Amino acid sequence: MFLYRNEWGLRNKLKRSCWNIVYVLAFKPFGLSFFNFWRLFLLRLFGAKLHPKVHIYSSARIWAPWNLEMDAYSCLAPHVDCYNTDLIRIGAHTTISQKSYLCASSHDISDPCHILITTPIIIEDQVWIAADAFVGMGVRIKQGAVVGARSCVFKDVEPWMVVGENPAKEIKKRILKSDYAKEIEYGS
């Protein structure tokens, strides 16, 4: 019989225990948008690197705030599960939609002790992760990409690409309409 081996040290376990208490008592109950500043303050106390213009909903679950970085105008929507056993970095103007799951770890299935392995997730600027999507460890979602609802992403997504399905595959190139194109289209 093989035993599960846990590599996390006592310090990490204590930090997570403290964070879980703060999350339940002082983070999650403050659900109104007005309290976003309070939620960001608590996350920063635990080491998160957050731009002041970030929005994190009270129902978003963050495993380790010290492994979270978010740039301006990015958002963790309601019920996002941010399992950041390793760094999760979210770029500017990026939305992680409701019920999405960001998972920066897995288990080594070839190891009899089934050890935890982790790799950062990098989500660049202007990305949209649509509702209920899964993003796995080590994935880099490049600028402007869109991950369709309920998709599962296990490898990098190229810039300005729309992906979907399970596992995610390229659907089409994302093309933004410019103001100039709109003027021509409407004959202004």
Side-chain angles (χ1 to χ4, degrees):
M1 180 171 148
F2 295 107
L3 298 176
Y4 175 78
R5 189 173 71 229
N6 188 334
E7 299 291 327
W8 299 110
L10 180 61
R11 183 172 186 237
N12 182 281
K13 291 175 187 175
L14 290 172
K15 280 171 52 175
R16 283 190 297 113
S17 295
C18 289
W19 166 244
N20 284 329
I21 291 166
V22 168
Y23 175 79
V24 169
L25 298 177
F27 184 93
K28 194 170 182 177
F30 294 89
L32 298 175
S33 289
F34 173 78
F35 292 110
N36 188 56
F37 77 95
W38 172 249
R39 293 189 297 270
L40 298 184
F41 169 76
L42 292 174
L43 287 164
R44 285 187 192 106
L45 276 179
F46 282 84
K49 294 178 181 141
L50 307 172
H51 188 279
K53 296 289 185 179
V54 162
H55 192 89
I56 299 176
Y57 283 79
S58 66
S59 60
R61 187 72 179 111
I62 298 153
W63 192 80
W66 49 92
N67 286 335
L68 179 63
E69 296 179 11
M70 294 176 71
D71 289 339
Y73 304 104
S74 57
C75 173
L76 289 181
H79 305 288
V80 167
D81 197 337
C82 184
Y83 188 55
N84 54 343
T85 52
D86 206 320
L87 174 69
I88 293 182
R89 185 174 190 327
I90 299 169
H93 300 275
T94 291
T95 299
I96 313 299
S97 291
Q98 64 274 12
K99 298 181 183 175
S100 292
Y101 194 102
L102 308 177
C103 185
S105 63
S106 186
H107 291 275
D108 183 351
I109 61 172
S110 63
D111 186 312
C113 293
H114 201 60
I115 63 168
L116 189 71
I117 52 177
T118 69
T119 308
I121 294 172
I122 307 297
I123 301 170
E124 296 182 2
D125 298 344
Q126 298 173 290
V127 169
W128 176 28
I129 310 290
D132 208 21
F134 175 89
V135 178
M137 63 181 265
V139 169
R140 180 181 210 99
I141 300 177
K142 297 177 184 171
Q143 182 176 5
V146 174
V147 174
R150 298 207 157 188
S151 298
C152 294
V153 181
F154 300 103
K155 62 181 184 175
D156 293 356
V157 177
E158 293 304 310
W160 302 100
M161 188 58 63
V162 178
V163 300
E165 298 187 25
N166 180 10
K169 62 182 180 180
E170 292 182 352
I171 295 173
K172 66 179 184 177
K173 196 80 170 153
R174 179 183 181 195
I175 300 170
L176 300 179
K177 294 182 180 178
S178 70
D179 291 338
Y180 178 72
K182 288 179 187 174
E183 287 175 20
I184 293 171
E185 188 175 310
Y186 297 114
S188 300

